[in-house]
């Protein structure tokens, strides 16, 4: 059963910055996307868009249609930040203008559970993904940390299981009456499905 990684972001572009990768100096743009949501508040996230053709097409459209809403599609990513924080962002491979009424930053992951924890009463799920390389490229190895509002939501989840999780970037707590939330912004689960009980039971998806 193949591991899987997909990220979708609906929102408006707050900033665009042209950069180059370390080493090869490959150009990309870093896009900050604002995803205001009545339930989760004004979430902001970042994504990188690679490929000169895609960059040129996006920049041309964005300049001609400032303030437009977009849907970005790509891979969900995480990296270690300061003070042990696990930070999330995206690598975009596709974009389109959008008429979505609800903005959000989401993820869908399929991989192997390597453990669970329960810090400060919430649940913490550790996932390991190995995505097969395409067109001669090496496999992509990824490790993710995703959260649940309560530890009980991960009851029955054990290391070795292959699971599919769907979730959204948001604070743990909703905004209060005054529009304030002090909760950290993290990836929280909304749906979790056990696909196999052990990694050994997983087979290559023939499709």
């Amino acid at each position: 059963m193949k591991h899987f990684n997909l990220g979708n972001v609906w929102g408006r572009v707050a900033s665009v910055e042209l950069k180059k990768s370390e080493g090869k100096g490959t150009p990309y743009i870093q896009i900050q996307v604002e995803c205001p949501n009545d339930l989760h508040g004004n979430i902001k996230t970042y994504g990188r868009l690679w490929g000169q053709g895609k960059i040129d097409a996006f920049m041309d459209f964005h300049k001609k249609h400032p303030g437009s809403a977009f849907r970005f599609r790509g891979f969900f990513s995480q990296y270690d930040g300061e003070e042990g924080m696990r930070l999330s962002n995206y690598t975009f491979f596709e974009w389109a203008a959008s008429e979505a009424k609800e903005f959000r930053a989401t993820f869908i992951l399929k991989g192997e559970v390597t453990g669970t924890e329960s810090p400060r009463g919430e649940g913490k799920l550790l996932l390991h993904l190995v995505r097969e390389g395409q067109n001669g490229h090496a496999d992509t190895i990824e490790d993710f940390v995703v959260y649940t509002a309560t530890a009980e939501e991960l009851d029955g989840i054990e290391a070795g299981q292959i699971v599919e999780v769907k979730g959204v970037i948001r604070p743990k707590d909703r905004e209060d009456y005054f529009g304030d939330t002090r909760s950290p912004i993290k990836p929280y689960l909304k749906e979790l499905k056990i696909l196999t009980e052990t990694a050994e039971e997983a087979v290559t998806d023939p499709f």
Side-chain angles (χ1 to χ4, degrees):
M1 184 174 295
K2 293 181 180 179
H3 291 187
F4 182 77
N5 177 339
L6 179 65
N8 286 291
V9 178
W10 291 262
R12 289 191 170 88
V13 173
S15 65
V16 180
E17 186 176 357
L18 179 63
K19 295 190 172 185
K20 292 185 178 181
S21 64
E22 296 181 5
K24 293 184 178 180
T26 305
Y28 68 91
I29 53 174
Q30 180 168 280
I31 305 170
Q32 183 185 44
V33 188
E34 292 184 337
C35 311
N37 185 290
D38 288 343
L39 188 61
H40 307 314
N42 188 22
I43 303 302
K44 296 180 181 179
T45 190
Y46 288 89
R48 294 180 175 184
L49 181 67
W50 298 81
Q52 195 62 55
K54 294 180 182 179
I55 291 172
D56 292 343
F58 173 79
M59 293 299 293
D60 182 63
F61 185 92
H62 179 50
K63 288 177 181 178
K64 291 178 180 177
H65 304 85
S68 290
F70 289 90
R71 176 185 177 175
F72 296 96
R73 195 164 178 263
F75 298 117
F76 184 55
S77 304
Q78 287 189 333
Y79 61 97
D80 292 324
E82 297 178 357
E83 300 180 359
M85 291 288 292
R86 191 73 171 158
L87 304 177
S88 302
N89 61 10
Y90 294 85
T91 298
F92 299 137
F93 55 71
E94 188 175 281
W95 64 270
S98 174
E99 296 183 359
K101 302 302 181 184
E102 182 181 356
F103 296 151
R104 58 209 184 274
T106 70
F107 57 89
I108 305 172
L109 302 172
K110 183 192 296 183
E112 180 181 350
V113 176
T114 57
T116 61
E117 300 174 9
S118 54
R120 297 175 295 280
E122 65 182 5
K124 185 176 180 180
L125 177 67
L126 311 179
L127 280 180
H128 181 69
L129 277 66
V130 180
R131 293 189 289 114
E132 295 179 4
Q134 303 292 325
N135 302 318
H137 292 286
D139 292 348
T140 300
I141 300 173
E142 303 168 307
D143 289 288
F144 292 93
V145 179
V146 292
Y147 297 84
T148 55
T150 65
E152 289 74 20
E153 293 177 64
L154 295 180
D155 286 349
I157 304 300
E158 300 177 353
Q161 293 174 329
I162 304 298
V163 300
E164 180 182 79
V165 299
K166 297 180 180 180
V168 62
I169 307 298
R170 65 172 180 85
K172 180 179 179 180
D173 302 318
R174 296 185 182 183
E175 286 186 343
D176 63 16
Y177 179 81
F178 305 98
D180 183 30
T181 179
R182 301 298 172 91
S183 301
I185 307 298
K186 295 188 290 191
Y188 280 92
L189 300 185
K190 291 182 73 70
E191 297 181 15
L192 187 154
K193 181 188 300 182
I194 299 174
L195 301 177
T196 68
E197 288 298 331
T198 66
E200 287 72 18
E201 294 174 11
V203 296
T204 301
D205 186 346
F207 304 104

